[in-house]
């Protein structure tokens, strides 16, 4: 399996090279040269199998022998052995035809654990095989940083630096990344929003000399291995509900669009997904792009669902590439134009094609609170504000055939957002044992790539 850049000016690479590079040399994102396709009988065969086993089989389609199958299976088993539910990503029925896919049973209580635990094992294996070390720099709007810190803490050969927007994550989210006590983990509070953090991250990788000098690697959803790992729970959930003999729809709370793109990828691989509802909060760049055909950021708004407070969704570039007929010149031109004008106007044909699968829905803070209260009143299920955005969007979405179940991705445990839960007038969940008392380590920097480069060099 070879991987190509969405912008077409980087040489194709194998899985391990794409894994360790994260971002292509031309600034594009990696995509497989051809998507694997699973036959219906293969998909049906996932029913009843352990999650780690299914994950290893799906990831193996992309590693294509670069990682020995038995080793890949061991990496997946170790990753998911840290989850507190035997199904890893269980379904919970809320009502006829409505389900929650609980993705928060990992060590940091958020869906990022599902992919990050595997990514950590893959990177550790690849570095050891090549006799290398790496400086991993990641940007987070809240949950990625904690998941990365848990996955890479105390891992030999890895230094992890997490950039997060100061004051724009919950206290629990922050503590998951700043209080590991691991010497190889550093957290930097950036004086800016998440988009500023993400912009700094991309500029570090765009400086090829700096990236080579410091051994940079990325674990954000710009890393294709994250997308591949996130495809898995779409398959396991759909099969549990009758796929491939039955269509399934998903509503995905989204900020950086990685989770939603993984749903598209699962469908491209043969899973019968009838609809993907992309649910955003007031930071609605994705919803507006899908409904209006214009990808244009607005001001970043702080909400009670901070992991979605994003106005530049990295993985939208992968979607553009696929819906541009994999024309990397068109995608390169579109995102070069976006860098200048902060706008991409989608061609009518692309917009119409997207509408065949995607529906964009934006949910206000007030509607988010109401969705949390309604879930509790009607089902006695407490949901976090990000999942509530998904529930509200699913309620507002265009109706489907009633025989098609709608699965809402539950992206975090409500214990991570006690302030938002309390503000909605709902009962709190108990925080993870020992978390409030852990000693935090935080460094503070301005929103300047030069300042972060100096920091990285000083530690590398």
């Amino acid at each position: 399996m070879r991987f190509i850049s969405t912008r077409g000016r980087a040489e194709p690479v194998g899985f391990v090279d794409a894994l360790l590079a994260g971002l292509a040399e031309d600034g594009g994102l990696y995509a497989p040269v051809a998507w694997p396709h699973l036959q219906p009988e293969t998909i049906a065969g996932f029913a009843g199998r352990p999650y780690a086993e299914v994950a290893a089989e799906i990831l193996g389609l992309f590693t294509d022998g670069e990682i020995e199958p038995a080793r890949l299976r061991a990496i997946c088993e170790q990753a998911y052995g840290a989850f507190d539910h035997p199904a890893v990503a269980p379904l919970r029925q809320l009502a006829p035809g409505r389900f929650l896919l609980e993705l928060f049973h990992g060590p940091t209580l958020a869906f990022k654990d599902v992919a990050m635990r595997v990514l950590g094992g893959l990177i550790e294996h690849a570095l050891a095989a090549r006799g290398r070390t790496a400086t991993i720099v990641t940007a987070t709007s809240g949950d990625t940083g904690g998941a990365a810190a848990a996955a890479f803490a105390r891992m030999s050969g890895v230094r992890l630096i997490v950039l997060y927007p100061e004051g724009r994550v919950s206290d629990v989210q922050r503590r998951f990344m700043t209080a590991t006590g691991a010497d190889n983990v550093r957290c930097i509070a950036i004086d800016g929003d998440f988009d500023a953090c993400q912009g700094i991250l991309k500029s570090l990788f765009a400086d090829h000399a700096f990236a080579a000098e410091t051994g940079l690697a990325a674990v954000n959803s710009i890393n294709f291995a994250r997308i591949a790992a996130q495809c898995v729970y779409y398959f396991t959930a759909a099969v549990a509900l009758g796929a491939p003999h039955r269509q399934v729809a998903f509503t995905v709370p989204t900020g950086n669009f990685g989770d939603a793109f993984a749903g598209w990828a699962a469908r491209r691989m043969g899973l019968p997904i009838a609809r993907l509802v992309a649910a955003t909060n007031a930071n609605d760049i994705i919803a507006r792009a899908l409904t209006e055909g214009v990808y244009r950021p607005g001001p970043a708004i702080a909400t009670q669902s901070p992991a979605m407070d994003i106005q530049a969704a990295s993985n939208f570039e992968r979607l553009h590439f696929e819906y541009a007929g994999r024309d990397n010149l068109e995608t390169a031109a579109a995102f070069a134009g976006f860098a200048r004008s902060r706008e991409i106007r989608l061609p009518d044909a692309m917009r119409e094609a997207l509408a065949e699968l995607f529906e964009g829905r934006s949910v206000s803070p007030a509607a988010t609170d109401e969705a949390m209260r309604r879930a509790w009143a009607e089902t006695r299920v407490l949901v976090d504000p990000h999942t509530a955005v998904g529930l509200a969007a699913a309620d507002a979405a265009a109706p489907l055939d009633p025989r098609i179940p709608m699965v809402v991705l539950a992206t975090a445990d409500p214990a991570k957002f006690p302030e938002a839960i309390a503000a909605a007038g709902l009962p709190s969940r108990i925080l993870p044992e020992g978390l409030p008392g852990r000693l935090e380590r935080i460094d503070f920097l301005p929103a300047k790539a030069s300042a972060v480069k100096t920091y990285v060099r000083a530690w590398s």
Side-chain angles (χ1 to χ4, degrees):
M1 172 74 72
R2 306 293 285 174
F3 292 82
I4 56 175
S5 168
T6 52
R7 301 188 186 182
R9 297 187 181 93
E11 290 296 318
V13 299
F15 177 83
V16 172
D17 285 327
L19 168 74
L20 295 178
L23 198 66
E25 287 188 355
D26 61 0
L29 279 64
Y30 282 117
V33 69
W35 287 94
H37 184 78
L38 296 173
Q39 296 299 321
E41 56 268 26
T42 300
I43 295 172
F46 292 152
R49 292 169 60 185
Y51 190 92
E53 189 176 297
V54 177
E57 184 165 332
I58 291 174
L59 286 167
L61 300 172
F62 298 103
T63 61
D64 197 25
E66 285 192 64
I67 298 176
E68 198 269 329
R71 180 59 186 152
L72 183 58
R73 173 78 173 271
I75 288 171
C76 291
E77 289 177 347
Q78 182 176 6
Y80 297 121
F83 282 59
D84 67 8
H85 195 290
V88 178
L91 285 165
R92 178 195 290 261
Q93 187 165 11
L94 297 180
R98 178 66 57 84
F99 297 83
L100 283 182
L101 177 57
E102 295 183 348
L103 301 175
F104 50 74
H105 290 282
T108 71
L109 312 183
F111 83 99
K112 307 285 187 174
D113 287 320
V114 182
M116 195 67 74
R117 301 295 294 184
V118 170
L119 192 64
L122 291 171
I123 288 177
E124 182 179 34
H125 172 77
L127 291 174
R130 296 189 175 188
R132 284 183 50 187
T133 62
T135 300
I136 295 173
V137 183
T138 189
T140 184
S141 55
D143 289 327
T144 293
F152 291 97
R154 301 172 184 85
M155 184 179 289
S156 61
V158 171
R159 296 172 297 275
L160 173 68
I161 297 173
V162 178
L163 312 179
Y164 72 92
E166 183 181 358
R168 294 200 177 206
V169 301
S170 79
D171 287 347
V172 180
Q173 284 178 310
R174 188 191 68 247
R175 287 179 178 275
F176 267 120
M177 53 186 160
T178 62
T180 64
D183 290 337
N184 71 323
V185 176
R186 302 270 184 96
C187 296
I188 302 175
I190 295 294
D191 184 16
D193 57 25
F194 170 75
D195 293 324
C197 297
Q198 185 164 249
I200 290 170
L201 178 70
K202 289 186 175 181
S203 71
L204 299 187
F205 282 90
D207 185 339
H208 304 310
F210 173 80
E213 169 196 344
T214 56
L216 279 194
V219 294
N220 280 67
S221 57
I222 60 174
N223 192 311
F224 181 80
R226 282 269 303 274
I227 302 297
Q230 288 173 296
C231 291
V232 178
Y233 45 73
Y234 284 96
F235 280 96
T236 59
V239 167
L241 294 173
H245 310 296
R246 181 193 199 188
Q247 288 188 306
V248 181
F250 291 88
T251 295
V252 189
T254 191
N256 219 16
F257 204 67
D259 216 7
F261 183 79
W264 176 90
R267 185 176 188 265
R268 178 66 180 78
M269 293 166 66
L271 191 65
I273 296 178
R275 178 75 53 82
L276 284 169
V277 179
T280 71
N281 61 19
N283 297 277
D284 59 352
I285 183 172
I286 289 295
R288 285 186 287 106
L290 294 172
T291 57
E292 301 171 11
V294 181
Y295 182 75
R296 181 196 304 119
I301 301 168
T303 73
Q304 75 270 60
S305 49
M308 298 161 64
D309 292 348
I310 296 172
Q311 283 286 2
S314 287
N315 282 283
F316 190 72
E317 180 166 340
R318 283 191 169 107
L319 191 72
H320 187 284
F321 173 68
E322 297 293 348
Y323 278 82
R326 311 200 109 209
D327 185 335
N328 46 46
L329 295 179
E330 182 177 342
T331 298
F335 283 86
F338 180 73
R340 293 190 301 269
S341 67
R342 307 300 289 167
E343 178 180 290
I344 297 173
R345 290 191 171 272
L346 304 182
D348 289 343
M350 182 184 294
R351 182 180 172 185
E352 291 169 4
L354 285 165
E356 294 176 4
L357 174 64
F358 286 97
E359 181 176 347
R361 289 284 172 177
S362 175
V363 177
S364 70
T368 301
D369 283 345
E370 177 56 31
M372 286 192 285
R373 288 191 288 264
R374 182 176 175 186
W376 177 253
E378 295 181 356
T379 68
R380 278 301 185 259
V381 174
L382 195 63
V383 299
D384 84 291
H386 305 77
T387 303
V389 168
L391 288 172
D395 287 341
L400 290 167
D401 185 321
R403 293 171 295 182
I404 299 174
M406 173 61 79
V407 179
V408 178
L409 273 58
T411 58
D413 190 300
K416 294 195 79 169
F417 303 94
E419 299 90 350
I421 298 296
L426 296 168
S428 61
R429 285 281 297 272
I430 298 174
L431 290 172
E433 184 177 354
L435 182 63
R438 296 177 189 167
L439 182 65
E440 294 186 82
R441 175 176 180 169
I442 308 171
D443 295 310
F444 297 85
L445 288 178
K448 295 181 179 179
S450 58
V452 176
K453 284 182 180 179
T454 298
Y455 184 100
V456 174
R457 280 194 174 103
W459 192 32
S460 298

